[in-house]
Amino acid sequence: MKERIEGARPMMDLMAKKIFSNTAITAQFIRDIFDLPVESVKILESTQIHEFYLDEFPYSTHIDVLAELDDHTQIIIEIQVALQIDFIKRLCLYLCEQISKNMNMHKIDGTQTYHLAKEMIPVYAIAITQERYFEDDRMYHSFSLRDDESYEELKVYFKGIKEKRNLMRMAFLELDKYDPTKIKQYKKVRWIEFFGNKPYTQNPEAILETADTMMNRTNWTEEERTMYDDRTRKLDGYYAHLEYVAEEKQLARMEGIEKGIEEGIEKGAIITIVGLIKDGILTIESGAKRLNMSESELTAYLL
């Protein structure tokens, strides 16, 4: 499928961090994904560009964004490019660690748990993944704590928020599942088109046009373009390395299959000849000639 913006890589940490540094874009993204009444957003963490580790670290989380809404709800945004089995557990770990970090600010000697819990604020997580993590074909998944029978969400009152909120929420956008023929929640799926650099299936609103403008490297500083080009070269080299390894593994697998077939045919022929000799139909001499082996070698199979 044709790229919307040629050569752009919105899943790269450098580009993604630049996009999420725009609070209006981040606010609309959270508004669309969680259907929250977001008035404004403050970015608490989105500055560190992760180093690229080729040998020591075969997968990496390419972005860590922590945003705070006007009602103090916090949203963790994670972008995961390479498939990692424990990524969902790691995302949950980040969420729990952030809750604990928030609570540490209110811990004073002698503070009772009851009073500490009153200070708790909601922390939710959104993951944008290049690969599939769920077996179905749905592009968007949202999870919260629910009753096993009625599926009623577990909602509580948080300090400073008028309505009850979900105690915990995690949402996932899976780019690999993108299918323009199965779009239902376009407000959510359009972000899969954005981060997948796909053509929009509906006319983009002004906020997505703004995001596309930020993604266009002609508007970047020379330093940013240099960083992007350097990171792109490293990524291209890494992906080429992965393709080479995959091809070598496939070649070794095919050679192993061929060798196994040859060994199987040879073994089958030996079993057949041995049976004929035992039945008195063939002599050891004629059997050895047919198998292209010495009589002593064939005799060993007769024991």
Side-chain angles (χ1 to χ4, degrees), residues 258-269:
E258 291 177 0
K259 183 178 180 181
I261 291 173
E262 291 175 358
E263 291 177 350
I265 292 173
E266 182 180 351
K267 186 175 181 181

Side-chain angles (χ1 to χ4, degrees), residues 101-137:
K101 182 180 178 181
N102 293 338
M103 290 294 91
N104 286 337
M105 294 188 298
H106 300 283
K107 286 183 179 179
I108 304 174
D109 289 343
T111 302
Q112 296 181 357
T113 304
Y114 169 76
H115 295 292
L116 189 62
K118 290 169 59 178
E119 303 296 329
M120 182 177 174
I121 61 175
V123 180
Y124 303 145
I126 303 172
I128 309 168
T129 69
Q130 185 69 55
E131 305 293 335
R132 294 170 174 246
Y133 278 87
F134 304 100
E135 294 181 358
D136 58 34
D137 290 326

Side-chain angles (χ1 to χ4, degrees), residues 223-286:
E223 181 183 7
E224 288 174 331
R225 287 195 294 269
T226 300
M227 289 177 63
Y228 180 87
D229 292 340
D230 180 62
R231 181 58 59 86
T232 299
R233 282 192 295 272
K234 289 180 179 179
L235 285 172
D236 287 344
Y238 178 55
Y239 293 140
H241 169 73
L242 291 181
E243 288 182 9
Y244 172 77
V245 171
E247 289 175 359
E248 288 294 306
K249 287 183 178 179
Q250 179 67 11
L251 180 60
R253 178 174 173 273
M254 294 304 298
E255 290 177 347
I257 291 174
E258 291 177 0
K259 183 178 180 181
I261 291 173
E262 291 175 358
E263 291 177 350
I265 292 173
E266 182 180 351
K267 186 175 181 181
I270 292 173
I271 292 173
T272 300
I273 295 298
V274 167
L276 293 174
I277 292 172
K278 288 183 177 181
D279 291 337
I281 298 174
L282 283 179
T283 64
I284 294 179
E285 181 182 3
S286 59

